[in-house]
Amino acid sequence: MRWIETADGVLARRYPELDQTLGLVVGQERCLVIDTGPDETHGLEWSAAIREITPLPWTIVITHAHWDHFLGTSPFLPAPIWAHARCRREMAVSTGAQVESWAAKYRDQNKPGLAERLESARVVLPDHDTGDRTVLDLGGRSVELIHPGLGHTDHDVIVHIPDAAVVFAGDLVEEGAPPSVGEDSHPGHWPAALDVLLALNPRVVVPGHGEPVDAGFVVAQRAAIAGSTSPR
């Protein structure tokens, strides 16, 4: 695991499992934790790593309702947890099936420990709903939680830190592999969601998986997604 500082007080933490990238934004009074990881052991490590950076009380935002982004939440409690309303509903109905599917994959990969960690993780539902654009005050620093429309899911939330020109994109952007298009994805609308992200004029975009990138990378990935959904 390693930290990447994208701006003063704006950090990404990289994990080898699933090539995942989580985020931390530090204000003067509070910090914002962007996603909590795939299980409670991971969440405990993540929360301890944050405490090495800052003692400030934390707020959590979940970018979307895929298990690897939220099943590490319980070590952070008590804390306010933000997500899109549809994210909360999806977590409530689909987590069990997600866990069953991925635990089986881990066992097929001879990773029974990861399967057991996943199966034992407690689902903690968000208790604060984002709108299309919600502003959080961290003390001397404002952060925008933006729902850019249909894309990787129907409830993606991106995190914009205006004073740093950094955007945490969740799985709307991936580096090191093509974006993951699942049954709950909306590839025909995905380019428009990336247009919302690009309109923020980010200096750095932090994907949900992979290394931080620049806007040019997102433009190229947008073109690839648009090309894959164009009529032939």
Side-chain angles (χ1 to χ4, degrees):
M1 291 77 74
R2 60 186 171 89
W3 286 107
I4 300 172
E5 186 171 30
T6 64
D8 185 26
V10 182
L11 301 102
R13 189 160 175 84
R14 299 279 284 115
Y15 289 88
E17 180 61 31
L18 303 175
D19 197 24
Q20 189 167 46
T21 308
L22 307 178
L24 174 67
V25 184
V26 182
Q28 295 175 4
E29 300 172 6
R30 285 168 291 281
C31 65
L32 181 66
V33 178
I34 302 164
D35 288 337
T36 60
D39 59 58
E40 291 169 351
T41 299
H42 184 113
L44 187 62
E45 190 284 333
W46 176 214
S47 63
I50 291 170
R51 281 293 169 249
E52 294 178 358
I53 300 292
T54 176
L56 291 172
W58 46 44
T59 294
I60 295 167
V61 59
I62 303 300
T63 59
H64 63 290
H66 290 161
W67 63 278
D68 52 317
H69 293 263
F70 67 82
L71 279 176
T73 297
S74 66
F76 289 88
L77 297 178
I81 307 168
W82 289 83
H84 195 278
R86 287 194 293 271
C87 177
R88 184 181 70 252
R89 291 196 291 269
E90 184 65 19
M91 288 168 61
V93 301
S94 75
T95 301
Q98 293 185 59
V99 167
E100 183 179 0
S101 174
W102 270 90
K105 290 181 183 179
Y106 277 139
R107 288 195 169 92
D108 287 344
Q109 296 169 6
N110 197 29
K111 298 177 179 178
L114 289 180
E116 291 167 6
R117 283 165 46 172
L118 177 54
E119 289 168 333
S120 67
R122 177 161 63 100
V123 180
V124 180
L125 296 178
D127 53 9
H128 290 67
D129 292 342
T130 66
D132 287 343
R133 187 180 298 253
T134 299
V135 178
L136 300 183
D137 180 9
L138 302 183
R141 165 171 271 166
S142 293
V143 174
E144 297 177 325
L145 310 181
I146 300 169
H147 171 55
L150 305 177
H152 179 63
T153 68
D154 68 358
H155 54 264
D156 298 295
V157 170
I158 61 177
V159 181
H160 178 219
I161 305 93
D163 68 355
V166 176
V167 173
F168 287 83
D171 286 1
L172 282 167
V173 177
E174 290 197 37
E175 186 276 334
S180 176
V181 180
E183 293 181 358
D184 57 348
S185 298
H186 301 266
H189 296 271
W190 199 323
L194 292 178
D195 287 339
V196 173
L197 186 158
L198 289 166
L200 301 171
N201 296 314
R203 177 183 57 84
V204 177
V205 177
V206 182
H209 303 268
E211 296 285 323
V213 299
D214 60 16
F217 179 95
V218 179
V219 169
Q221 196 158 88
R222 181 205 181 282
I225 294 169
S228 69
T229 59
S230 297
R232 289 178 170 82

